[in-house]
Amino acid sequence: MAQDPIPTGRIAAIRGAVVDVGFSGGSLPAVDDALSAARPGGGTVLLEVQAQLDGSTVRAIALQGTAGLRRGLEVAPLGGPLEVPVGAAVLGRLLDVAGTPGDRLGPLPADVPRRPIHRAPPPIHAAGGTAELFRTGIKVIDLLTPLAHGGKAAMFGGAGVGKTVLVMELIHAMVAGYDGISIFSGVGERSREGHEMLLDMTRAGVLDRTVLVYGQMNEPPGARWRVPMSALAIAEHFRDEEGRNVLLLMDNVFRFVQAGAEVSGLLGRLPSRVGYQPTLASEVAQLQERIASSGGASVTAIEAVYVPADDFTDPAVTAIAGHADSMVVLSRAMAADGMYPAVDPIASSSVLLDPLVLGEEHVAVAAEVRRAIEHYRELQDVISLLGLEELGAEDRRLVERARRLQRFLTQPFTVTEAFTGIAGRSVDLADTVAGCRAILDGEADGWSEESLYMVGTFEEARAREEAAGKAETAA
């Protein structure tokens, strides 16, 4: 039996981004349904229902600026959740939370298909699992925290340790060899970052296989809160309807949680731990559980996560970490030492680091690299107080190899080429494993540490060492 359409309502109250709407017909729009409020000077403001206050009033959060709205204005229910444009028409476009283009390339076609932003995740029996490696060409990630097709990789780090640069490099590293669709979701991004991303994609010639979806810092919390859902709706269309693999890049998932906390406060909910919304765990789960493989195609997510005050016990950080298959932890101490990418080899982890998936040699080398670096860290206080000379011969040899491994796992990035003057390198996984094995076996014991810093393969480091030796001999 079809439900009667809900009649239009009227704005009863406005408090910033919170709008109360009264309906007189007896039936109310459901929670998460979209409403459209008409502005007096033309245009509309999208709202999303968050609560039914009584038999005739709903409380909604604005997804766009509420300037110009006033009590008594007409509000039309849209008959369900907000729908965003999907399909081939959105490729190469920059969209906002509602799917409106923001790139001056004109409006989307009138017949573009649309998909609701709220949707249940695929059932467990339909979600396909895969153990296929997602190769990035970044040594430290491929060796120690390998990413999986259809998996979720989260990059955790405080302010200024290189999360966005790492995500940008992953885009550069993978667009050439990746034949699927890339969707970039900018959550609480600066306008400058969005503009730079658009220019970079255009220069790289990959914009025609990419969709950019932004909810910027200057937009209301509702827009920043819902923009990942809009990006997911587009990703799910390519996965389910077109059978395409999708790479979903999100920067920054913490700002999604932050926007949810702002919305929760505006709606008058009591805060939970550390001031976060009481619905933190379920909101993160609603987003993360939709990222899955289904029907032979996959959505692979790479997410940057800001860690407030470098506190990895923050409730938002732990809630997001619980859903990640690969955790790439960025270290401020390593960044301060110039070890870029500043990936902490001890704190980072991946469920894929298994001999049955990657082979015995890869896992053995990764374990030995971790062990050597961990041993070096244990001895750092002793070295600082007494000096390297006071260590035993075995410890000294292990420390020297660990320092060389740390330097070998650094890598020049394509996206930083303009600042460093060093051409970016992409390294094959076999070369990374072979290089680390050579260092562990002592092949680089007599080398200068500088020869291994910011290089690609071990052979490149060998050539640099030999060139330095010849220059010294000539001098």
Side-chain angles (χ1 to χ4, degrees):
M1 185 175 163
Q3 192 177 357
D4 293 334
I6 299 166
T8 56
R10 300 270 173 188
I11 293 179
I14 307 169
R15 288 176 302 281
V18 178
V19 181
D20 289 353
V21 183
F23 292 87
S24 56
S27 58
L28 295 177
V31 171
D32 287 342
D33 274 11
L35 312 173
S36 175
R39 285 187 197 273
T44 58
V45 176
L46 283 169
L47 314 171
E48 186 179 271
V49 177
Q50 293 301 313
Q52 297 181 346
L53 299 181
D54 53 42
S56 62
T57 313
V58 298
R59 181 159 289 169
I61 198 83
L63 303 182
Q64 296 161 332
T66 54
L69 294 187
R70 53 180 167 78
R71 280 185 293 178
L73 289 178
E74 198 169 82
V75 178
L78 298 185
L82 174 67
E83 293 188 342
V84 293
V86 297
V90 301
L91 291 173
R93 304 303 299 266
L94 188 151
L95 310 174
D96 66 8
V97 65
T100 308
D103 51 13
R104 300 180 186 172
L105 295 178
L108 294 167
D111 61 346
V112 66
R114 291 182 171 269
R115 192 176 185 124
I117 66 169
H118 294 293
R119 187 166 176 251
I124 292 172
H125 64 81
T130 178
E132 189 185 343
L133 187 66
F134 202 104
R135 295 171 189 268
T136 66
I138 299 172
K139 289 183 287 190
V140 66
I141 290 179
D142 284 349
L143 179 72
L144 299 174
T145 63
L147 313 186
H149 268 289
K152 294 182 275 282
M155 293 171 186
F156 296 91
V161 295
K163 295 182 301 298
T164 299
V165 171
L166 193 51
V167 169
M168 291 281 287
E169 182 65 18
L170 282 165
I171 293 170
H172 271 268
M174 290 185 280
V175 285
Y178 185 69
D179 62 350
I181 302 293
S182 298
I183 298 174
F184 183 86
S185 176
V187 187
E189 288 282 270
R190 303 166 185 85
S191 303
R192 169 187 59 78
E193 290 173 330
H195 183 64
E196 285 174 1
M197 175 73 76
L198 190 61
L199 290 177
D200 284 344
M201 293 284 189
T202 307
R203 277 195 217 105
V206 296
L207 197 61
D208 60 337
R209 287 190 285 120
T210 306
V211 187
L212 305 175
V213 190
Y214 275 89
Q216 292 174 179
M217 273 185 175
N218 60 329
E219 295 189 53
R224 288 179 271 122
W225 190 40
R226 288 311 187 206
V227 80
M229 302 299 186
S230 299
L232 264 173
I234 297 168
E236 286 169 339
H237 171 85
F238 283 114
R239 180 194 67 193
D240 299 339
E241 264 74 33
E242 301 191 18
R244 304 282 296 273
N245 287 328
V246 180
L247 175 62
L248 178 64
L249 299 125
M250 300 173 81
D251 189 5
N252 185 307
V253 183
F254 177 79
R255 299 200 196 286
F256 159 74
V257 172
Q258 210 171 28
E262 287 179 54
V263 168
S264 183
L266 288 167
L267 295 171
R269 294 175 186 149
L270 286 173
S272 181
R273 284 170 52 210
V274 201
Y276 285 111
Q277 60 270 45
T279 52
L280 170 65
S282 58
E283 282 177 20
V284 170
Q286 279 171 0
L287 175 70
Q288 300 287 355
E289 291 304 304
R290 286 171 65 182
I291 300 166
S293 301
S294 178
S298 64
V299 176
T300 304
I302 295 173
E303 309 167 6
V305 184
Y306 167 68
V307 180
D310 291 346
D311 178 14
F312 285 87
T313 63
D314 185 89
V317 175
T318 54
I320 296 164
H323 294 272
D325 301 315
S326 302
M327 285 181 59
V328 181
V329 178
L330 298 172
S331 157
R332 188 170 301 281
M334 290 187 68
D337 289 341
M339 300 295 160
Y340 289 105
V343 176
D344 188 328
I346 311 304
S348 302
S349 62
S350 170
V351 295
L352 225 64
L353 209 58
D354 185 310
L356 297 174
V357 178
L358 299 175
E360 299 281 352
E361 176 66 4
H362 181 149
V363 175
V365 168
E368 284 184 56
V369 167
R370 275 213 177 95
R371 199 176 301 120
I373 292 172
E374 197 162 14
H375 190 64
Y376 168 45
R377 287 188 181 177
E378 286 169 2
L379 294 170
Q380 267 181 324
D381 287 345
V382 176
I383 295 166
S384 300
L385 289 169
L386 304 174
L388 192 62
E389 298 75 23
E390 295 301 314
L391 296 177
E394 181 62 27
D395 279 343
R396 195 181 314 165
R397 188 166 62 249
L398 265 174
V399 164
E400 286 172 353
R401 286 179 186 173
R403 287 175 61 88
R404 285 173 172 79
L405 282 166
Q406 280 191 334
R407 278 148 185 77
F408 179 64
L409 291 175
T410 61
Q411 191 167 337
F413 281 175
T414 306
V415 293
T416 58
E417 203 171 307
F419 310 106
T420 61
I422 307 170
R425 304 283 197 282
S426 178
V427 183
D428 189 71
L429 176 60
D431 291 333
T432 301
V433 174
C436 289
R437 168 53 68 200
I439 294 168
L440 287 164
D441 289 346
E443 282 188 42
D445 280 2
W447 294 11
S448 160
E449 289 178 1
E450 280 301 305
S451 298
L452 292 153
Y453 181 65
M454 285 292 169
V455 297
T457 63
F458 187 73
E459 294 310 312
E460 189 184 330
R462 189 193 301 278
R464 190 189 281 187
E465 175 68 17
E466 287 170 0
K470 283 175 187 172
E472 202 174 301
T473 306

